[in-house]
Amino acid sequence: MTKKIVLISGPRQSGKTTLSKMLSDDYDYINFDDPAHRLILNSRSWDRKKKLIIFDELHKMNNWKQYLKGVYDTEGLPPAIIVTGSARMDAFRKVGDSLAGRFFSHRLHPLDIREASADMEPVEAMERILTVGGFPEPFLENDIRFYNRWKRSHLDVILRQDLIDLTSVTDIQGIETLLELLRNRVGSPVSYASLARDLQKDAKTVKSWLIILENLYVVFPVRPWHKNVARSLLKEPKYYFYDTGQVADDRGMRIENLTACSLLKHAHSMEDGYGIPCGLHYFRTKDGTELDFILSLDQKIAAAYEVKSSDTELARGFRHFAPYLENAVRIQLVAYPDREKTFPTGEEVRSLSNYLAEMDIT
C-alpha cells in the first residue's frame, strides 16, 4: 500500500469505505460529495501526518487523474493513498494524462458464499444471498422487509444521483424500464435490437445505457467464448445483476445470477491480486446447446460450469463442447443435489454452495 496509489472500485454500499478504514487506525478521510471536503481537496490541506489518506468518490472530480498524478509526482508516498469509487474509475472523467504506472486497482464485490461461510454453513449463505442479496447491510440484517426498502433506495441513489453526476442521460424512466426487462432475462442471451423494440428506442441508445449501468456496477455482461470456436455460437451477451435480489423472483434465475457473481468475483481477484488475465464467458449454439459459464486463465479455458437447481443428470453441453475442454475443470453445479457424482470422462456433479465456498481453480 506504500508503493502505489490503490484504487478500490465497486458497487455502491459494497463496503469500500469500511474496508479502507479498517486498513489503518491512523487515517484522514476526504469525501468529494462533502462540500467542506472539496475545499480540502482544492487546497490540498489533508493531514500528511496520518499514515493513510482516503479519497472517496474522487472520480466525480473533473481531471481527477491529473490531480492524483500531480499529488503522487510531487509528494510521493507515504502517506499511503487509497481512492474509492462506486463506479468504474477508468470510465468517467477521462483526461489525456493517465495514472499509468502509479496505481494498483482492486474491485470490491458484495459478499459471496465463500466469504459468508466463515460464519455460517455454505447452504445457509446461499439461501440468504438468494433472498436478500450479498450487499453487507441487508445480508447482515437478513430481513426481507428491510431488504425491499433498502434495494429501492439503493437503486434510486444510483439512478438519481450517480447517473446525473457522471453522465448526460436524463431518461431515468427509460433506464428503469430497461432494468425491469433485464430482471426477467437473466441467464438468456440479450439482443440489443429486441430490447430497443420493447423500449421504443434505437439499439445504439440501449447499448449505451447498458454500458452506463455496467460502469455504475449495477449489471455486468458475460460474453460468449469465441477463440477457435465455430461461428455457430451465439454472439449476444448475457447480463447479470451485482445484487442477486434484484433478479426476478425465479429460483433458477437467481441461482444462476448468484453463481455468475461468485465466478466474476473470482476472476477479478485473480486479475487484481495476481495480475493473471481471467475472464468469464459462456458457450451457446443457435440450437440451444450451452454451458452456462466458462472461466479462462491467461486466454485459455480453465473451467466450464453448468448450473442447475436440482438436476444431477449431466448436461449435454459437456459432451458437445468436449473438444474445447480437454484441459479444463468440468463441473455441474447443483443447488439442491440428491447426491454428488463423478464420471469416467472427468466431469463432476457438485453441490453449488459447497463448491463455491471452497472454490480455487488455480
Side-chain angles (χ1 to χ4, degrees):
M1 194 167 64
T2 58
K3 295 181 180 180
K4 303 282 186 180
I5 296 171
V6 175
L7 306 183
I8 301 178
S9 63
R12 179 175 282 276
Q13 295 186 36
S14 58
K16 300 178 296 296
T17 302
T18 300
L19 174 63
S20 299
K21 291 179 177 180
M22 290 172 62
L23 295 176
S24 176
D25 294 328
D26 187 28
Y27 62 82
D28 197 4
Y29 174 73
I30 316 294
N31 190 326
F32 184 78
D33 288 336
D34 186 321
H37 287 193
R38 287 200 288 273
L39 294 178
I40 295 173
L41 288 168
N42 288 337
S43 61
R44 299 192 181 189
S45 57
W46 54 83
D47 187 353
R48 289 165 176 79
K49 295 294 185 179
K50 300 292 187 181
K51 293 181 179 178
L52 172 64
I53 309 299
I54 302 169
F55 296 129
D56 204 354
E57 301 296 322
L58 191 66
H59 62 285
K60 295 178 182 179
M61 174 194 284
N62 287 324
N63 298 324
W64 70 274
K65 290 183 182 179
Q66 186 173 346
Y67 178 90
L68 266 185
K69 178 180 180 293
V71 172
Y72 182 90
D73 288 352
T74 59
E75 300 189 26
L77 306 176
I81 294 176
I82 291 180
V83 182
T84 71
S86 54
R88 285 182 53 188
M89 288 184 281
D90 61 338
F92 296 111
R93 309 296 192 202
K94 290 185 176 179
V95 295
D97 208 353
S98 76
L99 288 170
R102 298 170 176 86
F103 72 96
F104 287 135
S105 177
H106 294 274
R107 287 162 284 189
L108 186 67
H109 289 247
L111 295 168
D112 62 2
I113 294 175
R114 183 172 184 175
E115 282 182 303
S117 61
D119 297 313
M120 62 186 70
E121 290 298 316
V123 68
E124 181 184 352
M126 178 183 76
E127 293 298 333
R128 191 178 293 194
I129 293 172
L130 290 174
T131 304
V132 298
F135 281 77
E137 187 177 8
F139 181 87
L140 294 173
E141 190 72 21
N142 192 28
D143 178 86
I144 188 63
R145 183 178 298 180
F146 175 89
Y147 171 67
N148 286 335
R149 296 173 65 189
W150 177 91
K151 73 176 178 180
R152 169 179 275 186
S153 64
H154 181 247
L155 193 57
D156 279 350
V157 170
I158 294 172
L159 296 184
R160 287 168 174 79
Q161 180 176 313
D162 296 343
L163 187 69
I164 293 172
D165 285 347
L166 296 169
T167 75
S168 59
V169 174
T170 57
D171 190 355
I172 295 175
Q173 287 186 337
I175 291 184
E176 287 177 328
T177 304
L178 172 60
L179 286 170
E180 194 61 37
L181 292 172
L182 293 176
R183 286 188 183 101
N184 292 279
R185 301 186 187 185
V186 166
S188 299
V190 169
S191 163
Y192 299 125
S194 175
L195 288 175
R197 286 193 297 270
D198 290 339
L199 292 164
Q200 297 183 338
K201 302 286 183 180
D202 63 86
K204 184 177 180 180
T205 296
V206 171
K207 190 172 183 179
S208 71
W209 286 357
L210 287 167
I211 292 172
I212 289 170
L213 291 171
E214 179 184 350
N215 290 338
L216 291 173
Y217 289 109
V218 178
V219 299
F220 60 90
V222 173
R223 305 187 188 283
W225 178 263
H226 58 82
K227 187 177 181 180
N228 300 323
V229 180
R231 294 181 180 178
S232 61
L233 289 180
L234 290 181
K235 297 180 180 179
E236 291 88 354
K238 301 192 291 185
Y239 280 90
Y240 298 90
F241 286 79
Y242 282 94
D243 181 9
T244 294
Q246 289 281 0
V247 178
D249 191 12
D250 176 280
R251 203 69 170 173
M253 283 197 291
R254 288 197 176 190
I255 289 168
E256 184 169 335
N257 195 96
L258 176 154
T259 307
C261 289
S262 295
L263 295 177
L264 183 69
K265 187 172 184 175
H266 179 84
H268 284 175
S269 69
M270 294 299 297
E271 289 188 331
D272 297 345
Y274 300 95
I276 301 174
C278 189
L280 182 61
H281 306 272
Y282 76 95
F283 273 143
R284 185 182 176 98
T285 62
K286 294 178 181 178
D287 67 3
T289 303
E290 67 177 342
L291 284 174
D292 290 325
F293 299 110
I294 299 295
L295 264 181
S296 64
L297 287 176
D298 206 13
Q299 306 301 316
K300 297 178 182 178
I301 295 176
Y305 300 98
E306 180 70 10
V307 181
K308 301 289 186 182
S309 294
S310 57
D311 187 1
T312 58
E313 291 301 311
L314 195 65
R316 64 174 180 150
F318 288 108
R319 299 281 191 270
H320 183 87
F321 296 110
Y324 309 106
L325 306 174
E326 291 182 2
N327 299 313
V329 174
R330 302 181 296 282
I331 309 286
Q332 183 159 313
L333 297 172
V334 184
Y336 308 104
D338 54 0
R339 62 192 301 265
E340 295 189 326
K341 303 177 182 178
T342 62
F343 295 86
T345 46
E347 297 84 4
E348 304 176 32
V349 174
R350 296 297 180 194
S351 160
L352 182 146
S353 58
N354 289 340
Y355 180 86
L356 293 180
E358 301 174 355
M359 180 181 172
D360 185 2
I361 64 168
T362 59

